[in-house]
Amino acid sequence: MPQDMSGGPHHHRGAAPVGYMHELDPIEAGAVQYLRLWCSGPEHKLQIWDELMAALGPCDGRSTYETFESMCSLFTRYARRPMMRHHVSCKCLGADESCFANFVGYASEGAREDAFLLAVNLVRPDVAASLVSMGEAFGMALRRAVAKTNLAEPRPAATVH
């Protein structure tokens, strides 16, 4: 069942399937997978930490994790409405997750205006500029990690909502 970032079940358009995880590039798939993991509890946050530390080393790994955590906190606190997500192992891609994936993808390429336009669909406009900077740092770190490993390869899974 789709959930909002607070973990509660909801039925909103933001959860509507719009594609599949395997259709995303590794940066976008990694961003969505990490979003799902971050929303799924402390043990899953530890998985993000471990993967980033292994891929980027202690200094960059810590910085990237902290940036991602700050970014998710802003999304949670200043969301225009609850941001919807699918289960960690779901092959589907929800509408909000797609917007998040594209946000990180554009930010990682330095396309700040496009990233900003996507961010204001998810959060208040006064917070969007800060998110773009965080998305840029996080996305660029994901690019470095993917270049070194297969970190952001979508994990095969059954369709579970």
PDB file of all heavy atoms in Angstrom, residues 46-78:
ATOM      1  N   LEU A  46      20.311   3.026   8.204  1.00  0.00           N
ATOM      2  CA  LEU A  46      21.646   2.472   8.381  1.00  0.00           C
ATOM      3  C   LEU A  46      22.165   1.866   7.075  1.00  0.00           C
ATOM      4  O   LEU A  46      23.347   1.969   6.757  1.00  0.00           O
ATOM      5  CB  LEU A  46      21.646   1.427   9.498  1.00  0.00           C
ATOM      6  CG  LEU A  46      22.989   0.820   9.864  1.00  0.00           C
ATOM      7  CD1 LEU A  46      23.983   1.897  10.290  1.00  0.00           C
ATOM      8  CD2 LEU A  46      22.817  -0.212  10.975  1.00  0.00           C
ATOM      9  N   GLN A  47      21.273   1.275   6.287  1.00  0.00           N
ATOM     10  CA  GLN A  47      21.659   0.728   4.986  1.00  0.00           C
ATOM     11  C   GLN A  47      22.158   1.843   4.059  1.00  0.00           C
ATOM     12  O   GLN A  47      23.155   1.682   3.360  1.00  0.00           O
ATOM     13  CB  GLN A  47      20.477  -0.002   4.341  1.00  0.00           C
ATOM     14  CG  GLN A  47      20.816  -0.598   2.993  1.00  0.00           C
ATOM     15  CD  GLN A  47      19.628  -1.294   2.355  1.00  0.00           C
ATOM     16  OE1 GLN A  47      18.649  -1.632   3.010  1.00  0.00           O
ATOM     17  NE2 GLN A  47      19.710  -1.508   1.052  1.00  0.00           N
ATOM     18  N   ILE A  48      21.457   2.983   4.065  1.00  0.00           N
ATOM     19  CA  ILE A  48      21.887   4.133   3.257  1.00  0.00           C
ATOM     20  C   ILE A  48      23.286   4.560   3.700  1.00  0.00           C
ATOM     21  O   ILE A  48      24.179   4.755   2.876  1.00  0.00           O
ATOM     22  CB  ILE A  48      20.906   5.320   3.392  1.00  0.00           C
ATOM     23  CG1 ILE A  48      19.514   4.939   2.882  1.00  0.00           C
ATOM     24  CG2 ILE A  48      21.436   6.541   2.644  1.00  0.00           C
ATOM     25  CD1 ILE A  48      18.436   5.956   3.243  1.00  0.00           C
ATOM     26  N   TRP A  49      23.460   4.706   5.016  1.00  0.00           N
ATOM     27  CA  TRP A  49      24.745   5.104   5.585  1.00  0.00           C
ATOM     28  C   TRP A  49      25.851   4.159   5.118  1.00  0.00           C
ATOM     29  O   TRP A  49      26.886   4.596   4.620  1.00  0.00           O
ATOM     30  CB  TRP A  49      24.642   5.114   7.111  1.00  0.00           C
ATOM     31  CG  TRP A  49      25.940   5.325   7.807  1.00  0.00           C
ATOM     32  CD1 TRP A  49      26.802   4.353   8.254  1.00  0.00           C
ATOM     33  CD2 TRP A  49      26.546   6.566   8.146  1.00  0.00           C
ATOM     34  NE1 TRP A  49      27.897   4.920   8.851  1.00  0.00           N
ATOM     35  CE2 TRP A  49      27.763   6.283   8.801  1.00  0.00           C
ATOM     36  CE3 TRP A  49      26.170   7.893   7.972  1.00  0.00           C
ATOM     37  CZ2 TRP A  49      28.616   7.261   9.275  1.00  0.00           C
ATOM     38  CZ3 TRP A  49      27.018   8.879   8.449  1.00  0.00           C
ATOM     39  CH2 TRP A  49      28.215   8.569   9.082  1.00  0.00           C
ATOM     40  N   ASP A  50      25.612   2.858   5.276  1.00  0.00           N
ATOM     41  CA  ASP A  50      26.621   1.862   4.913  1.00  0.00           C
ATOM     42  C   ASP A  50      26.981   1.938   3.431  1.00  0.00           C
ATOM     43  O   ASP A  50      28.162   1.883   3.065  1.00  0.00           O
ATOM     44  CB  ASP A  50      26.139   0.448   5.254  1.00  0.00           C
ATOM     45  CG  ASP A  50      26.076   0.187   6.753  1.00  0.00           C
ATOM     46  OD1 ASP A  50      26.696   0.953   7.538  1.00  0.00           O
ATOM     47  OD2 ASP A  50      25.387  -0.783   7.144  1.00  0.00           O
ATOM     48  N   GLU A  51      25.984   2.072   2.570  1.00  0.00           N
ATOM     49  CA  GLU A  51      26.239   2.125   1.126  1.00  0.00           C
ATOM     50  C   GLU A  51      27.003   3.385   0.737  1.00  0.00           C
ATOM     51  O   GLU A  51      27.929   3.326  -0.078  1.00  0.00           O
ATOM     52  CB  GLU A  51      24.934   2.020   0.344  1.00  0.00           C
ATOM     53  CG  GLU A  51      24.328   0.640   0.387  1.00  0.00           C
ATOM     54  CD  GLU A  51      23.062   0.509  -0.440  1.00  0.00           C
ATOM     55  OE1 GLU A  51      22.737   1.421  -1.236  1.00  0.00           O
ATOM     56  OE2 GLU A  51      22.383  -0.521  -0.286  1.00  0.00           O
ATOM     57  N   LEU A  52      26.626   4.518   1.309  1.00  0.00           N
ATOM     58  CA  LEU A  52      27.319   5.760   0.979  1.00  0.00           C
ATOM     59  C   LEU A  52      28.754   5.760   1.506  1.00  0.00           C
ATOM     60  O   LEU A  52      29.672   6.225   0.827  1.00  0.00           O
ATOM     61  CB  LEU A  52      26.544   6.970   1.502  1.00  0.00           C
ATOM     62  CG  LEU A  52      25.214   7.246   0.808  1.00  0.00           C
ATOM     63  CD1 LEU A  52      24.468   8.377   1.508  1.00  0.00           C
ATOM     64  CD2 LEU A  52      25.423   7.569  -0.667  1.00  0.00           C
ATOM     65  N   MET A  53      28.956   5.222   2.695  1.00  0.00           N
ATOM     66  CA  MET A  53      30.312   5.144   3.253  1.00  0.00           C
ATOM     67  C   MET A  53      31.187   4.233   2.390  1.00  0.00           C
ATOM     68  O   MET A  53      32.338   4.562   2.110  1.00  0.00           O
ATOM     69  CB  MET A  53      30.268   4.638   4.694  1.00  0.00           C
ATOM     70  CG  MET A  53      29.569   5.584   5.654  1.00  0.00           C
ATOM     71  SD  MET A  53      30.362   7.185   5.808  1.00  0.00           S
ATOM     72  CE  MET A  53      31.630   6.774   6.964  1.00  0.00           C
ATOM     73  N   ALA A  54      30.644   3.108   1.964  1.00  0.00           N
ATOM     74  CA  ALA A  54      31.405   2.164   1.139  1.00  0.00           C
ATOM     75  C   ALA A  54      31.730   2.764  -0.231  1.00  0.00           C
ATOM     76  O   ALA A  54      32.829   2.573  -0.754  1.00  0.00           O
ATOM     77  CB  ALA A  54      30.633   0.856   0.979  1.00  0.00           C
ATOM     78  N   ALA A  55      30.787   3.489  -0.800  1.00  0.00           N
ATOM     79  CA  ALA A  55      30.969   4.022  -2.152  1.00  0.00           C
ATOM     80  C   ALA A  55      31.792   5.304  -2.189  1.00  0.00           C
ATOM     81  O   ALA A  55      32.531   5.538  -3.141  1.00  0.00           O
ATOM     82  CB  ALA A  55      29.603   4.271  -2.802  1.00  0.00           C
ATOM     83  N   LEU A  56      31.659   6.142  -1.150  1.00  0.00           N
ATOM     84  CA  LEU A  56      32.267   7.473  -1.196  1.00  0.00           C
ATOM     85  C   LEU A  56      33.377   7.697  -0.178  1.00  0.00           C
ATOM     86  O   LEU A  56      34.039   8.734  -0.211  1.00  0.00           O
ATOM     87  CB  LEU A  56      31.181   8.540  -1.002  1.00  0.00           C
ATOM     88  CG  LEU A  56      30.080   8.564  -2.057  1.00  0.00           C
ATOM     89  CD1 LEU A  56      28.944   9.492  -1.623  1.00  0.00           C
ATOM     90  CD2 LEU A  56      30.653   8.985  -3.402  1.00  0.00           C
ATOM     91  N   GLY A  57      33.537   6.773   0.748  1.00  0.00           N
ATOM     92  CA  GLY A  57      34.542   6.951   1.793  1.00  0.00           C
ATOM     93  C   GLY A  57      33.952   7.704   2.970  1.00  0.00           C
ATOM     94  O   GLY A  57      32.856   8.261   2.899  1.00  0.00           O
ATOM     95  N   PRO A  58      34.688   7.743   4.084  1.00  0.00           N
ATOM     96  CA  PRO A  58      34.134   8.305   5.318  1.00  0.00           C
ATOM     97  C   PRO A  58      33.763   9.783   5.242  1.00  0.00           C
ATOM     98  O   PRO A  58      32.714  10.179   5.744  1.00  0.00           O
ATOM     99  CB  PRO A  58      35.215   8.069   6.359  1.00  0.00           C
ATOM    100  CG  PRO A  58      36.391   7.526   5.652  1.00  0.00           C
ATOM    101  CD  PRO A  58      36.007   7.177   4.263  1.00  0.00           C
ATOM    102  N   CYS A  59      34.581  10.603   4.631  1.00  0.00           N
ATOM    103  CA  CYS A  59      34.301  12.042   4.600  1.00  0.00           C
ATOM    104  C   CYS A  59      33.129  12.371   3.667  1.00  0.00           C
ATOM    105  O   CYS A  59      32.141  12.981   4.084  1.00  0.00           O
ATOM    106  CB  CYS A  59      35.559  12.803   4.183  1.00  0.00           C
ATOM    107  SG  CYS A  59      35.376  14.593   4.298  1.00  0.00           S
ATOM    108  N   ASP A  60      33.243  11.972   2.409  1.00  0.00           N
ATOM    109  CA  ASP A  60      32.171  12.253   1.445  1.00  0.00           C
ATOM    110  C   ASP A  60      30.905  11.469   1.767  1.00  0.00           C
ATOM    111  O   ASP A  60      29.794  11.954   1.546  1.00  0.00           O
ATOM    112  CB  ASP A  60      32.624  11.935   0.013  1.00  0.00           C
ATOM    113  CG  ASP A  60      33.560  12.991  -0.546  1.00  0.00           C
ATOM    114  OD1 ASP A  60      33.648  14.090   0.034  1.00  0.00           O
ATOM    115  OD2 ASP A  60      34.202  12.705  -1.574  1.00  0.00           O
ATOM    116  N   GLY A  61      31.057  10.244   2.277  1.00  0.00           N
ATOM    117  CA  GLY A  61      29.894   9.437   2.646  1.00  0.00           C
ATOM    118  C   GLY A  61      29.069  10.097   3.734  1.00  0.00           C
ATOM    119  O   GLY A  61      27.849  10.194   3.643  1.00  0.00           O
ATOM    120  N   ARG A  62      29.761  10.589   4.772  1.00  0.00           N
ATOM    121  CA  ARG A  62      29.071  11.264   5.883  1.00  0.00           C
ATOM    122  C   ARG A  62      28.382  12.542   5.391  1.00  0.00           C
ATOM    123  O   ARG A  62      27.225  12.796   5.694  1.00  0.00           O
ATOM    124  CB  ARG A  62      30.046  11.611   7.000  1.00  0.00           C
ATOM    125  CG  ARG A  62      29.411  12.447   8.121  1.00  0.00           C
ATOM    126  CD  ARG A  62      30.434  12.879   9.158  1.00  0.00           C
ATOM    127  NE  ARG A  62      31.050  11.751   9.820  1.00  0.00           N
ATOM    128  CZ  ARG A  62      30.518  11.129  10.889  1.00  0.00           C
ATOM    129  NH1 ARG A  62      29.388  11.536  11.392  1.00  0.00           N
ATOM    130  NH2 ARG A  62      31.144  10.104  11.437  1.00  0.00           N
ATOM    131  N   SER A  63      29.107  13.324   4.622  1.00  0.00           N
ATOM    132  CA  SER A  63      28.555  14.578   4.110  1.00  0.00           C
ATOM    133  C   SER A  63      27.335  14.326   3.227  1.00  0.00           C
ATOM    134  O   SER A  63      26.318  15.022   3.333  1.00  0.00           O
ATOM    135  CB  SER A  63      29.635  15.322   3.327  1.00  0.00           C
ATOM    136  OG  SER A  63      29.104  16.456   2.704  1.00  0.00           O
ATOM    137  N   THR A  64      27.413  13.320   2.370  1.00  0.00           N
ATOM    138  CA  THR A  64      26.296  12.996   1.473  1.00  0.00           C
ATOM    139  C   THR A  64      25.096  12.502   2.268  1.00  0.00           C
ATOM    140  O   THR A  64      23.963  12.906   2.008  1.00  0.00           O
ATOM    141  CB  THR A  64      26.727  11.945   0.438  1.00  0.00           C
ATOM    142  OG1 THR A  64      27.819  12.486  -0.321  1.00  0.00           O
ATOM    143  CG2 THR A  64      25.584  11.583  -0.492  1.00  0.00           C
ATOM    144  N   TYR A  65      25.340  11.659   3.263  1.00  0.00           N
ATOM    145  CA  TYR A  65      24.254  11.171   4.104  1.00  0.00           C
ATOM    146  C   TYR A  65      23.575  12.334   4.830  1.00  0.00           C
ATOM    147  O   TYR A  65      22.343  12.425   4.866  1.00  0.00           O
ATOM    148  CB  TYR A  65      24.753  10.140   5.116  1.00  0.00           C
ATOM    149  CG  TYR A  65      23.649   9.597   5.978  1.00  0.00           C
ATOM    150  CD1 TYR A  65      22.869   8.539   5.539  1.00  0.00           C
ATOM    151  CD2 TYR A  65      23.361  10.167   7.215  1.00  0.00           C
ATOM    152  CE1 TYR A  65      21.829   8.048   6.319  1.00  0.00           C
ATOM    153  CE2 TYR A  65      22.326   9.688   7.999  1.00  0.00           C
ATOM    154  CZ  TYR A  65      21.559   8.626   7.549  1.00  0.00           C
ATOM    155  OH  TYR A  65      20.521   8.160   8.318  1.00  0.00           O
ATOM    156  N   GLU A  66      24.366  13.222   5.402  1.00  0.00           N
ATOM    157  CA  GLU A  66      23.803  14.359   6.131  1.00  0.00           C
ATOM    158  C   GLU A  66      23.017  15.280   5.205  1.00  0.00           C
ATOM    159  O   GLU A  66      21.960  15.795   5.589  1.00  0.00           O
ATOM    160  CB  GLU A  66      24.914  15.119   6.854  1.00  0.00           C
ATOM    161  CG  GLU A  66      25.484  14.343   8.028  1.00  0.00           C
ATOM    162  CD  GLU A  66      26.727  14.968   8.641  1.00  0.00           C
ATOM    163  OE1 GLU A  66      27.277  15.954   8.085  1.00  0.00           O
ATOM    164  OE2 GLU A  66      27.170  14.447   9.695  1.00  0.00           O
ATOM    165  N   THR A  67      23.508  15.480   3.995  1.00  0.00           N
ATOM    166  CA  THR A  67      22.778  16.299   3.021  1.00  0.00           C
ATOM    167  C   THR A  67      21.460  15.639   2.666  1.00  0.00           C
ATOM    168  O   THR A  67      20.409  16.292   2.628  1.00  0.00           O
ATOM    169  CB  THR A  67      23.623  16.512   1.743  1.00  0.00           C
ATOM    170  OG1 THR A  67      24.811  17.223   2.098  1.00  0.00           O
ATOM    171  CG2 THR A  67      22.856  17.281   0.686  1.00  0.00           C
ATOM    172  N   PHE A  68      21.492  14.337   2.408  1.00  0.00           N
ATOM    173  CA  PHE A  68      20.265  13.615   2.069  1.00  0.00           C
ATOM    174  C   PHE A  68      19.269  13.658   3.223  1.00  0.00           C
ATOM    175  O   PHE A  68      18.074  13.896   3.017  1.00  0.00           O
ATOM    176  CB  PHE A  68      20.586  12.167   1.688  1.00  0.00           C
ATOM    177  CG  PHE A  68      19.371  11.382   1.307  1.00  0.00           C
ATOM    178  CD1 PHE A  68      18.687  11.649   0.131  1.00  0.00           C
ATOM    179  CD2 PHE A  68      18.899  10.371   2.121  1.00  0.00           C
ATOM    180  CE1 PHE A  68      17.550  10.935  -0.222  1.00  0.00           C
ATOM    181  CE2 PHE A  68      17.768   9.647   1.775  1.00  0.00           C
ATOM    182  CZ  PHE A  68      17.096   9.928   0.604  1.00  0.00           C
ATOM    183  N   GLU A  69      19.751  13.454   4.431  1.00  0.00           N
ATOM    184  CA  GLU A  69      18.870  13.494   5.599  1.00  0.00           C
ATOM    185  C   GLU A  69      18.244  14.883   5.771  1.00  0.00           C
ATOM    186  O   GLU A  69      17.045  15.002   6.040  1.00  0.00           O
ATOM    187  CB  GLU A  69      19.641  13.086   6.847  1.00  0.00           C
ATOM    188  CG  GLU A  69      18.753  12.822   8.023  1.00  0.00           C
ATOM    189  CD  GLU A  69      19.460  12.038   9.106  1.00  0.00           C
ATOM    190  OE1 GLU A  69      20.522  12.489   9.570  1.00  0.00           O
ATOM    191  OE2 GLU A  69      18.933  10.979   9.480  1.00  0.00           O
ATOM    192  N   SER A  70      19.023  15.935   5.580  1.00  0.00           N
ATOM    193  CA  SER A  70      18.484  17.301   5.662  1.00  0.00           C
ATOM    194  C   SER A  70      17.451  17.542   4.566  1.00  0.00           C
ATOM    195  O   SER A  70      16.408  18.160   4.812  1.00  0.00           O
ATOM    196  CB  SER A  70      19.610  18.327   5.532  1.00  0.00           C
ATOM    197  OG  SER A  70      20.487  18.237   6.612  1.00  0.00           O
ATOM    198  N   MET A  71      17.739  17.054   3.382  1.00  0.00           N
ATOM    199  CA  MET A  71      16.819  17.216   2.257  1.00  0.00           C
ATOM    200  C   MET A  71      15.490  16.506   2.550  1.00  0.00           C
ATOM    201  O   MET A  71      14.418  17.089   2.376  1.00  0.00           O
ATOM    202  CB  MET A  71      17.483  16.634   0.998  1.00  0.00           C
ATOM    203  CG  MET A  71      16.789  16.955  -0.282  1.00  0.00           C
ATOM    204  SD  MET A  71      17.774  16.497  -1.731  1.00  0.00           S
ATOM    205  CE  MET A  71      17.839  14.726  -1.602  1.00  0.00           C
ATOM    206  N   CYS A  72      15.552  15.277   3.045  1.00  0.00           N
ATOM    207  CA  CYS A  72      14.325  14.541   3.361  1.00  0.00           C
ATOM    208  C   CYS A  72      13.558  15.209   4.494  1.00  0.00           C
ATOM    209  O   CYS A  72      12.325  15.250   4.481  1.00  0.00           O
ATOM    210  CB  CYS A  72      14.649  13.094   3.713  1.00  0.00           C
ATOM    211  SG  CYS A  72      15.108  12.098   2.292  1.00  0.00           S
ATOM    212  N   SER A  73      14.275  15.743   5.471  1.00  0.00           N
ATOM    213  CA  SER A  73      13.613  16.450   6.570  1.00  0.00           C
ATOM    214  C   SER A  73      12.858  17.677   6.060  1.00  0.00           C
ATOM    215  O   SER A  73      11.734  17.944   6.491  1.00  0.00           O
ATOM    216  CB  SER A  73      14.628  16.864   7.627  1.00  0.00           C
ATOM    217  OG  SER A  73      15.157  15.739   8.259  1.00  0.00           O
ATOM    218  N   LEU A  74      13.469  18.419   5.133  1.00  0.00           N
ATOM    219  CA  LEU A  74      12.777  19.577   4.555  1.00  0.00           C
ATOM    220  C   LEU A  74      11.560  19.141   3.755  1.00  0.00           C
ATOM    221  O   LEU A  74      10.503  19.779   3.819  1.00  0.00           O
ATOM    222  CB  LEU A  74      13.716  20.396   3.674  1.00  0.00           C
ATOM    223  CG  LEU A  74      14.728  21.270   4.394  1.00  0.00           C
ATOM    224  CD1 LEU A  74      15.615  22.002   3.390  1.00  0.00           C
ATOM    225  CD2 LEU A  74      14.038  22.264   5.316  1.00  0.00           C
ATOM    226  N   PHE A  75      11.703  18.061   2.985  1.00  0.00           N
ATOM    227  CA  PHE A  75      10.550  17.551   2.232  1.00  0.00           C
ATOM    228  C   PHE A  75       9.421  17.171   3.181  1.00  0.00           C
ATOM    229  O   PHE A  75       8.258  17.424   2.901  1.00  0.00           O
ATOM    230  CB  PHE A  75      10.937  16.332   1.382  1.00  0.00           C
ATOM    231  CG  PHE A  75      11.422  16.673   0.010  1.00  0.00           C
ATOM    232  CD1 PHE A  75      12.718  16.402  -0.360  1.00  0.00           C
ATOM    233  CD2 PHE A  75      10.577  17.257  -0.926  1.00  0.00           C
ATOM    234  CE1 PHE A  75      13.182  16.702  -1.633  1.00  0.00           C
ATOM    235  CE2 PHE A  75      11.017  17.566  -2.197  1.00  0.00           C
ATOM    236  CZ  PHE A  75      12.318  17.292  -2.556  1.00  0.00           C
ATOM    237  N   THR A  76       9.764  16.564   4.291  1.00  0.00           N
ATOM    238  CA  THR A  76       8.754  16.143   5.259  1.00  0.00           C
ATOM    239  C   THR A  76       8.101  17.337   5.953  1.00  0.00           C
ATOM    240  O   THR A  76       6.886  17.413   6.078  1.00  0.00           O
ATOM    241  CB  THR A  76       9.389  15.215   6.318  1.00  0.00           C
ATOM    242  OG1 THR A  76       9.956  14.089   5.654  1.00  0.00           O
ATOM    243  CG2 THR A  76       8.369  14.748   7.324  1.00  0.00           C
ATOM    244  N   ARG A  77       8.913  18.276   6.378  1.00  0.00           N
ATOM    245  CA  ARG A  77       8.417  19.406   7.172  1.00  0.00           C
ATOM    246  C   ARG A  77       7.659  20.440   6.349  1.00  0.00           C
ATOM    247  O   ARG A  77       6.703  21.046   6.837  1.00  0.00           O
ATOM    248  CB  ARG A  77       9.585  20.071   7.894  1.00  0.00           C
ATOM    249  CG  ARG A  77       9.168  20.805   9.148  1.00  0.00           C
ATOM    250  CD  ARG A  77      10.329  21.225  10.002  1.00  0.00           C
ATOM    251  NE  ARG A  77      11.578  20.774   9.411  1.00  0.00           N
ATOM    252  CZ  ARG A  77      12.772  21.278   9.648  1.00  0.00           C
ATOM    253  NH1 ARG A  77      12.920  22.222  10.476  1.00  0.00           N
ATOM    254  NH2 ARG A  77      13.846  20.832   9.071  1.00  0.00           N
ATOM    255  N   TYR A  78       8.084  20.670   5.107  1.00  0.00           N
ATOM    256  CA  TYR A  78       7.511  21.765   4.324  1.00  0.00           C
ATOM    257  C   TYR A  78       6.746  21.305   3.090  1.00  0.00           C
ATOM    258  O   TYR A  78       6.539  22.084   2.160  1.00  0.00           O
ATOM    259  CB  TYR A  78       8.615  22.742   3.912  1.00  0.00           C
ATOM    260  CG  TYR A  78       9.278  23.374   5.113  1.00  0.00           C
ATOM    261  CD1 TYR A  78      10.551  22.994   5.508  1.00  0.00           C
ATOM    262  CD2 TYR A  78       8.597  24.324   5.877  1.00  0.00           C
ATOM    263  CE1 TYR A  78      11.150  23.556   6.618  1.00  0.00           C
ATOM    264  CE2 TYR A  78       9.188  24.889   6.992  1.00  0.00           C
ATOM    265  CZ  TYR A  78      10.467  24.502   7.360  1.00  0.00           C
ATOM    266  OH  TYR A  78      11.045  25.060   8.466  1.00  0.00           O
TER     267      TYR A  78
END
